[in-house]
Amino acid sequence: MMRFVHPYRSTLTRLACLSAAIVLPAVAGSTPAPQDSCAPLADQAAAATGLSDADAKAGLAQAESLITRAAAAGCPLAGLRAQAARGDNLLTLGRYQEAEDVYQQLSKTLDPGGPSILLAGVLRRLGAAYYFTGELDRALQQYRASIGVAQKIGDRMDVAKAQGDIGALYVQIGWLDEARQAQEEALAGYQEVQWKPGIAGTANNMSQVDGGMGDRALASGDDAAARTHYAAMYHAARQAFQEFQDLHNTRGIAVASANVGIAAAALGHYHEAIGWHRRAPALRRRIADAHGQGTSLATTAGALRGRARAPPAGYSAATG
């Protein structure tokens, strides 16, 4: 069974809480503006980051405009946040090398200022850029660096985000027990800070862990254990779908839909699987998620092939 493990990409709306410990680079020929006058630009940068989960093309345009406006207004901190937003939207659009370049430059700029929420997020997103290009060793290194920064400033949420990304990476390389442990640690962190998108995202990630365990059991000839794991995958993904619907998070809904479809197909419910898989590409097109669109089309094709092989019995379960 083909499965792409998609690390949940959360929005960094907490950039407004950036640690005051950051030492900002001087902007040549300008005097930094009062922080109060820069606050609206910083808020708009956070909103541009949020668009990476809703409309990445619009988010990229907004971030690039903000970079210019922040420089002209003498607001270097807002400019750094806008650069991070640019990277996040490039990542969604599948422009991984460009995103990697943005994050690398930001990490070099931010590092001399010491640990901060923004630095932790940038390192983690740099890890995601490496992940999507298959450089898993470098991705893991950046995720762990992000955890180190977040722990120094007592930022439980960013620790949890990086733990969840590490868990997704472990699924990719087949370390399923370690993946489950990482996701459980991430969930504990999200529950501690009561962050609903992270809790919903962990349900998505746990569904992928169970999917991997189902594949492993099937390969070893243990059909009963495989079915148990696929059923757990199905229920976790349905939970994630409902929670993301309540949050109106398009990306989360798309990923959960794909995972429900994968689990339904593994359980032999091909008609239901196709219904779920057909949701995901449209949602991913809406947010311009380049990689996700390809993944959704591939899993839909797999479900269609499975239906062609399945007996035409009257399967009556509701489609997603």
Side-chain angles (χ1 to χ4, degrees), residues 248-265:
H248 307 289
N249 185 302
T250 304
R251 183 191 302 284
I253 294 169
V255 175
S257 298
N259 287 342
V260 176
I262 291 169

Side-chain angles (χ1 to χ4, degrees), residues 130-131 134-144 169 173:
Y130 289 140
Y131 178 97
E135 297 181 78
L136 300 186
D137 289 342
R138 298 180 76 182
L140 185 58
Q141 180 181 2
Q142 295 303 318
Y143 292 152
R144 287 172 172 166
L169 187 153
I173 61 177

Side-chain angles (χ1 to χ4, degrees), residues 177-202:
D177 295 324
E178 293 85 350
R180 185 178 294 281
Q181 180 180 345
Q183 297 301 346
E184 289 172 348
E185 291 172 355
L187 180 60
Y190 290 135
Q191 290 174 334
E192 183 179 322
V193 299
Q194 299 181 19
W195 197 54
K196 291 182 179 180
I199 294 170
T202 304

Side-chain angles (χ1 to χ4, degrees), residues 213-309:
M213 289 183 165
D215 292 349
R216 185 171 65 184
L218 193 64
S220 70
D222 192 340
D223 292 354
R227 189 168 185 82
T228 297
H229 284 299
Y230 291 142
M233 179 188 188
Y234 180 89
H235 290 298
R238 284 297 298 257
Q239 175 189 337
F241 176 83
Q242 185 59 57
E243 291 176 357
F244 277 123
Q245 271 203 320
D246 293 343
L247 294 167
H248 307 289
N249 185 302
T250 304
R251 183 191 302 284
I253 294 169
V255 175
S257 298
N259 287 342
V260 176
I262 291 169
L267 292 166
H269 303 161
Y270 298 108
H271 295 281
E272 180 182 7
I274 291 165
W276 285 100
H277 283 313
R278 283 176 172 162
R279 284 175 184 260
L283 291 168
R284 283 167 157 159
R285 280 193 298 273
R286 186 187 306 171
I287 62 174
D289 181 356
H291 199 129
Q293 289 180 55
T295 303
S296 294
L297 292 172
T299 51
T300 301
L304 287 167
R305 286 195 298 271
R307 183 181 68 175
R309 292 193 300 268

Side-chain angles (χ1 to χ4, degrees), residues 2 15 18 22 32 35 38 40 53 55 57 69 73 81 107 143 155 176 189 192 206 213 222 235 274 280 284 305 320:
M2 180 167 53
L15 293 183
L18 184 70
I22 288 183
Q35 197 60 36
C38 295
D53 279 344
D55 185 345
K57 290 181 180 178
R69 290 162 54 199
R81 293 173 178 167
S107 66
Y143 292 152
D155 181 8
L176 300 176
E192 183 179 322
M206 289 294 273
M213 289 183 165
D222 192 340
H235 290 298
I274 291 165
R284 283 167 157 159
R305 286 195 298 271

